[in-house]
């Protein structure tokens, strides 16, 4: 059994910064790609940033240059540093990870979600 636990959301003024963390625990053999998604009210969930096990990164155009994804493999944790936040960044942010519990099985797991609210 695997769990992803997120922390670090909150309320911030436009132009401010927040850092989200997501720690994986449980029966983990290997963590492949990790990522952050967000869902604003009335909108579909969208990919914000992703990072492979080899630390290659990918960002949505709307956050390039402002957000940075990273991971600490020793801690089974991924981070999302968000700078120059805008009101349109307001959403629930979800952590996602593709995790193997053994050589043969891999599943996608989701965190519980962290509310990020940016006031203008």
């Amino acid at each position: 059994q695997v769990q992803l636990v997120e922390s670090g959301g909150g309320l911030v003024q436009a132009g401010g910064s927040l850092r989200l963390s997501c720690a994986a625990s449980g029966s983990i053999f290997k963590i492949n790609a990790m990522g952050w998604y967000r869902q604003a009210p009335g909108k579909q969930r969208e990919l914000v940033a992703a990072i492979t096990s080899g630390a290659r990164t990918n960002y949505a155009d709307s956050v390039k240059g402002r957000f940075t994804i990273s991971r600490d493999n020793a801690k089974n944790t991924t981070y999302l540093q968000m700078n120059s936040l805008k009101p349109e960044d307001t959403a629930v942010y979800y952590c996602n990870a593709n995790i193997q519990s053994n050589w043969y099985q891999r599943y996608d797991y989701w965190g519980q979600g962290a509310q990020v609210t940016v006031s203008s």
Side-chain angles (χ1 to χ4, degrees), residues 67-85:
F67 290 12
T68 302
I69 188 171
S70 61
R71 61 191 286 171
D72 184 334
N73 292 327
K75 296 182 179 180
N76 291 335
T77 299
T78 183
Y79 306 95
L80 185 68
Q81 178 66 44
M82 304 182 290
N83 298 329
S84 302
L85 281 160

Side-chain angles (χ1 to χ4, degrees), residues 1-80:
Q1 193 169 357
V2 173
Q3 278 190 315
L4 298 183
V5 178
E6 300 178 33
S7 60
L11 173 64
V12 65
Q13 287 190 330
S17 298
L18 282 174
R19 189 175 86 151
L20 301 179
S21 300
C22 172
S25 62
S27 179
I28 298 171
F29 173 69
K30 182 183 178 185
I31 301 178
N32 299 304
M34 305 182 84
W36 291 92
Y37 290 72
R38 68 186 180 187
Q39 188 166 19
K43 294 189 176 181
Q44 288 191 331
R45 190 173 297 190
E46 62 175 358
L47 175 67
V48 176
I51 185 167
T52 68
S53 57
R56 287 181 298 172
T57 58
N58 182 46
Y59 296 94
D61 288 342
S62 59
V63 306
K64 281 181 182 176
R66 299 188 298 122
F67 290 12
T68 302
I69 188 171
S70 61
R71 61 191 286 171
D72 184 334
N73 292 327
K75 296 182 179 180
N76 291 335
T77 299
T78 183
Y79 306 95
L80 185 68

